């Protein structure tokens, strides 16, 4: 089973794009629409932004883990069947802070989709509470890799 995400890009009006994650399939539907698929267990970030003639209507970021067949999941717009939500934020200041957290992970040479899922939950909780999240460091990543190697 694959998790399907519908993306759209209409300059200055609607932007739905993947910030990180390894797709297993990509299909261009139209000039502005694309569909991507993720395999079970894949972690990815979906950014959504839209506006109208009065300004921004929506700013969101969702960091999700693609689910396996029969696994429980949360529904997320444009994601079928849904996903295991690791981070879900709305409002540009929080979305921008989450994107900065992703950038920090990448600065250490770590792919954000390979980071510990608990880190994204931590970022969600801290930003929701209006606090600064702890950075994800190479030491934390090494500890995650060791923990993952010994747990099923």
């Amino acid at each position: 089973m694959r998790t399907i995400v519908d993306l759209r890009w209409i300059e200055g009006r609607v932007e739905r794009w993947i910030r990180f994650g390894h797709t297993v399939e990509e299909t261009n539907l139209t000039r502005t629409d694309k569909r991507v698929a993720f395999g079970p267990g894949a972690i990815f970030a979906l950014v959504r932004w839209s506006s109208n003639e009065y300004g921004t209507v929506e700013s969101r970021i969702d960091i999700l883990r693609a689910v396996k067949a029969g696994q429980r999941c949360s529904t997320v717009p444009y994601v079928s069947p849904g996903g295991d939500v690791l981070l879900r934020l709305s409002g540009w200041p929080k979305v921008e802070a989450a994107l900065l957290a992703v950038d920090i992970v990448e600065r250490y040479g770590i792919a954000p989709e390979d980071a510990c899922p608990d880190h994204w939950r931590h970022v969600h909780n801290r930003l929701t509470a209006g606090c600064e999240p702890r950075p994800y460091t190479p030491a934390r990543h090494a500890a995650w890799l060791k923990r993952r190697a010994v747990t099923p």
Side-chain angles (χ1 to χ4, degrees):
M1 182 173 118
R2 294 182 173 176
T3 297
I4 308 297
V5 182
D6 291 317
L7 306 176
R8 173 171 279 175
W9 187 280
I10 301 173
E11 189 69 37
R13 300 293 283 172
V14 177
E15 298 176 9
R16 291 193 306 259
W17 48 279
I18 299 297
R19 172 58 181 84
F20 65 80
H22 295 295
T23 60
V24 294
E25 187 178 326
E26 189 172 305
T27 307
N28 289 319
L29 303 171
T30 68
R31 189 175 58 78
T32 59
D33 295 309
K34 182 190 298 189
R35 182 170 286 154
V36 295
F38 294 91
I43 294 176
F44 62 95
L46 171 63
V47 180
R48 295 182 282 153
W49 175 88
S50 63
S51 71
N52 62 21
E53 57 273 5
Y54 301 106
T56 298
V57 176
E58 172 187 50
S59 291
R60 293 193 68 90
I61 183 169
D62 296 287
I63 298 180
L64 307 164
R65 182 174 20 211
V67 294
K68 298 175 181 152
Q71 190 176 9
R72 290 181 302 161
C73 63
S74 299
T75 58
V76 177
Y78 314 108
V79 179
S80 177
D84 177 17
V85 176
L86 305 177
L87 177 144
R88 185 174 226 174
L89 296 169
S90 62
W92 180 246
K94 290 180 182 177
V95 170
E96 186 177 36
L99 291 171
L100 178 61
V102 172
D103 291 343
I104 290 170
V105 170
E106 289 177 327
R107 270 189 232 132
Y108 285 116
I110 302 166
E113 58 271 19
D114 296 333
C116 179
D118 291 339
H119 174 68
W120 300 120
R121 289 185 185 102
H122 162 77
V123 172
H124 167 87
N125 291 334
R126 296 291 289 187
L127 292 178
T128 298
C131 300
E132 180 115 1
R134 289 187 305 272
Y136 191 74
T137 62
R140 287 182 188 273
H141 189 62
W144 158 242
L145 294 177
K146 287 179 182 177
R147 185 175 68 183
R148 188 174 64 180
V150 297
T151 56

